[in-house]
């Protein structure tokens, strides 16, 4: 298996059996291909004798969602593996452990998280995650701070930037988030009844200016090593535990992109609640819990980030009066703007979210789509006015208010 090819079930078992010290010689290994994403094969390997298990993830040389007409570099597997290893070192309780890898085959072997649930599914089902804001705030603060110029020698950081240049997957982000929703594009995907919204996105010059500024930040500001695709489908969770997975979009970019991605996905679920929770009181309770999580995530991130700055900063200018405040304020504004861009693209762009698309009632699904677009546009257009975490909630509530009467 020295040259690249997609693994078969039998080859995945053979690869797992060859990992030193993991499975005993008499292991009765079973394998299932469980990948449901757009870019990879994922094999779940289990020893039927003792239940011990692992995950083998293999990158494909093209995007599964489109096919071989959309080629992708296999180096993204190396990028993902190195990002996972770094995240595990910085946050060992919040990322899976990597057991082995083969860069020629674009394979990463890692901890099995089957005892957790993909967070998106849990949120759809109304599961509460009381520790999530604390956990993800810690993950964001540590991974972003310790990979930035604030904590790294500038020359070492530049070497790190070079290792994580990720042009193919950045191109996906640039197209799907910052370009396609605002023009006629074959990549866009939305129902005919949203044509008025799509046309509005294409014609809104004020919105385009703000998107252009956010796109410029994504293209040019190598602030820290980002996960790059930190949505609730890339998080395994229980009410007590959080594990961040799938950093194959990792690259050096603006910190607010990661923070905004998490918040956007909570807000997409917030917009979807009438389609999932019929009882008004229960729905309001879930909606408030989601909004509180949004506020708490920013608060937890900011508190931890400032503490790391005060205690761990290596930048000789880090102690300059006012610098920390200006820096954090910039991350907050970016967070709001990128969250809005993420929401917009999930409604009219190529790849959607089950939170909204899986709503069976077409009227409620349309309401959720329009509500998500309203929130996303309002965040993008007003992101430069945001001064604190509560301002994000204020913008969300302003945009959502016209939809309240329609769903009560």
């Amino acid at each position: 298996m020295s040259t690249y090819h997609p693994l078969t079930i039998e080859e995945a078992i053979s690869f797992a059996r060859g990992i030193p010290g993991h499975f005993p010689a008499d292991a009765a290994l079973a394998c299932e291909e469980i990948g449901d994403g757009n870019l990879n094969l994922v094999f779940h390997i289990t020893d039927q004798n003792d239940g011990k298990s692992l995950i083998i993830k293999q990158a494909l040389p093209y995007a599964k969602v489109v096919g071989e007409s959309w080629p992708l570099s296999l180096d993204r597997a190396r990028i993902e593996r190195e990002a996972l290893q770094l995240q595990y070192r910085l946050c060992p309780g919040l990322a899976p452990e990597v057991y082995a890898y083969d860069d020629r085959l674009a394979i990463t072997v890692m901890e099995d998280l089957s005892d957790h649930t993909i967070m998106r599914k849990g949120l759809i089902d109304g599961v509460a995650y009381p520790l999530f804001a604390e956990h993800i705030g810690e993950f964001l603060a540590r991974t972003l701070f310790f990979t930035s110029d604030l904590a790294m020698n500038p020359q070492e950081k530049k070497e790190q930037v070079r290792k994580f240049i990720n042009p193919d997957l950045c191109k996906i982000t640039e197209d799907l988030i910052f370009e396609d929703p605002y023009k006629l594009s074959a990549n866009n995907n939305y129902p005919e009844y949203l044509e008025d919204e799509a046309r509005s996105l294409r014609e809104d010059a004020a919105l385009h200016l703000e998107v252009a500024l956010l796109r410029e930040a994504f293209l040019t500001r190598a602030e820290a090593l980002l996960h790059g695709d930190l949505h609730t489908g890339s998080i395994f969770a229980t009410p007590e535990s959080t594990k961040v997975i799938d950093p194959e979009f990792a690259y050096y970019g603006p910190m607010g992109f990661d923070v905004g991605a998490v918040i956007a996905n909570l807000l997409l679920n917030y917009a979807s609640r009438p389609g999932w929770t019929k009882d008004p009181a229960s729905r309001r309770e879930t909606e408030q819990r989601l909004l509180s999580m949004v506020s708490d995530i920013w608060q937890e991130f900011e508190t931890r980030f400032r503490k790391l700055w005060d205690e761990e900063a290596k930048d000789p200018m880090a102690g300059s009066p006012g610098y920390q405040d200006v820096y954090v304020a910039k991350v907050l504004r970016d967070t709001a703007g990128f969250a809005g861009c993420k929401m917009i693209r999930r409604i009219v762009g190529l790849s959607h979210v089950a939170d909204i698309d899986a709503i069976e009632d077409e009227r409620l699904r349309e309401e959720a789509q329009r509500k998500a677009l309203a929130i996303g546009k309002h965040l993008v257009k007003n992101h430069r006015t945001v001064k604190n975490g509560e301002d994000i909630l204020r913008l969300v509530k302003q945009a959502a208010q016209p939809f309240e009467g329609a769903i009560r």
Side-chain angles (χ1 to χ4, degrees), residues 72-324:
L72 293 172
S73 168
L74 292 173
D75 188 51
R76 72 182 193 277
R78 190 264 316 163
I79 289 173
E80 176 177 14
R81 184 256 305 169
E82 292 187 358
L84 274 175
Q85 290 172 315
L86 188 154
Q87 290 162 357
Y88 183 80
R89 178 171 59 81
L90 293 174
C91 308
L94 300 172
E97 183 177 1
V98 172
Y99 298 140
Y101 62 91
D102 186 321
D103 286 339
R104 291 170 303 173
L105 289 171
I107 284 173
T108 302
V109 184
M110 68 190 83
E111 178 183 356
D112 178 21
L113 300 175
S114 296
D115 56 340
H116 290 55
T117 300
I118 288 290
M119 190 177 181
R120 186 179 308 287
K121 182 181 185 303
L123 289 173
I124 289 171
D125 292 341
V127 176
Y129 295 101
L131 300 180
F132 177 69
E134 177 184 336
H135 291 166
I136 203 68
E138 177 81 357
F139 178 87
L140 289 164
R142 292 186 64 81
T143 59
L144 297 176
F145 178 82
F146 282 114
T147 60
S148 74
D149 285 299
L150 296 168
M152 296 184 72
N153 172 279
Q155 284 67 45
E156 292 176 357
K157 190 250 192 175
K158 290 177 177 64
E159 290 295 329
Q160 186 95 324
V161 172
R162 181 166 63 180
K163 285 174 58 179
F164 285 97
I165 289 174
N166 199 352
D168 282 3
L169 271 68
C170 282
K171 174 64 171 170
I172 293 175
T173 299
E174 292 154 15
D175 288 351
L176 300 190
I177 298 178
F178 299 111
E179 294 184 34
D180 290 340
Y182 309 100
K183 67 181 185 181
L184 289 170
S185 170
N187 288 329
N188 289 336
N189 173 29
Y190 53 85
E192 187 176 348
Y193 60 72
L194 288 182
E195 180 57 41
D196 61 322
E197 296 279 8
R199 186 183 311 110
S200 174
L201 290 172
R202 295 194 296 268
E203 296 174 354
D204 191 334
L207 179 66
H208 291 184
L209 169 60
E210 303 304 325
V211 172
L213 293 171
L214 291 159
R215 180 177 177 274
E216 178 193 25
F218 185 86
L219 291 171
T220 64
R221 293 209 327 246
E223 293 174 355
L225 180 63
L226 306 186
H227 177 285
D229 196 28
L230 194 50
H231 54 76
T232 50
S234 294
I235 298 169
F236 273 106
T238 72
E240 298 79 31
S241 175
T242 303
K243 301 278 189 177
V244 177
I245 63 169
D246 291 352
E248 63 189 311
F249 281 74
Y251 93 113
Y252 263 79
M255 295 181 183
F257 188 79
D258 268 5
V259 188
V262 177
I263 287 174
N265 279 264
L266 293 177
L267 292 175
L268 285 163
N269 189 266
Y270 163 78
S272 79
R273 290 325 304 173
W276 298 107
T277 311
K278 304 307 179 186
D279 176 66
S282 179
R283 180 171 67 242
R284 286 192 291 271
E285 179 183 347
T286 304
E287 288 170 344
Q288 184 53 53
R289 183 169 70 236
L290 289 162
L291 293 180
S292 295
M293 286 173 70
V294 168
S295 178
D296 291 346
I297 285 169
W298 174 258
Q299 186 59 50
E300 295 284 355
F301 165 75
E302 180 180 0
T303 299
R304 285 167 167 74
F305 189 84
R306 286 182 181 273
K307 188 172 189 292
L308 289 171
W309 186 311
D310 292 340
E311 297 176 355
E312 304 281 353
K314 301 295 191 292
D315 182 347
M317 301 301 290
S320 302
Y323 181 29
Q324 184 182 117

Side-chain angles (χ1 to χ4, degrees), residues 290-365:
L290 289 162
L291 293 180
S292 295
M293 286 173 70
V294 168
S295 178
D296 291 346
I297 285 169
W298 174 258
Q299 186 59 50
E300 295 284 355
F301 165 75
E302 180 180 0
T303 299
R304 285 167 167 74
F305 189 84
R306 286 182 181 273
K307 188 172 189 292
L308 289 171
W309 186 311
D310 292 340
E311 297 176 355
E312 304 281 353
K314 301 295 191 292
D315 182 347
M317 301 301 290
S320 302
Y323 181 29
Q324 184 182 117
D325 290 340
V326 171
Y327 196 108
V328 171
K330 173 191 63 178
V331 176
L332 175 61
R333 292 191 298 271
D334 289 347
T335 292
F338 288 129
C341 288
K342 285 276 196 175
M343 294 184 74
I344 292 168
R345 81 94 161 189
R346 289 295 191 179
I347 305 302
V348 300
L350 178 66
S351 181
H352 296 183
V353 292
D355 312 55
I356 290 176
D357 273 23
I359 295 172
E360 292 184 1
D361 185 305
E362 184 173 317
R363 181 184 65 83
L364 293 176
R365 186 168 63 250

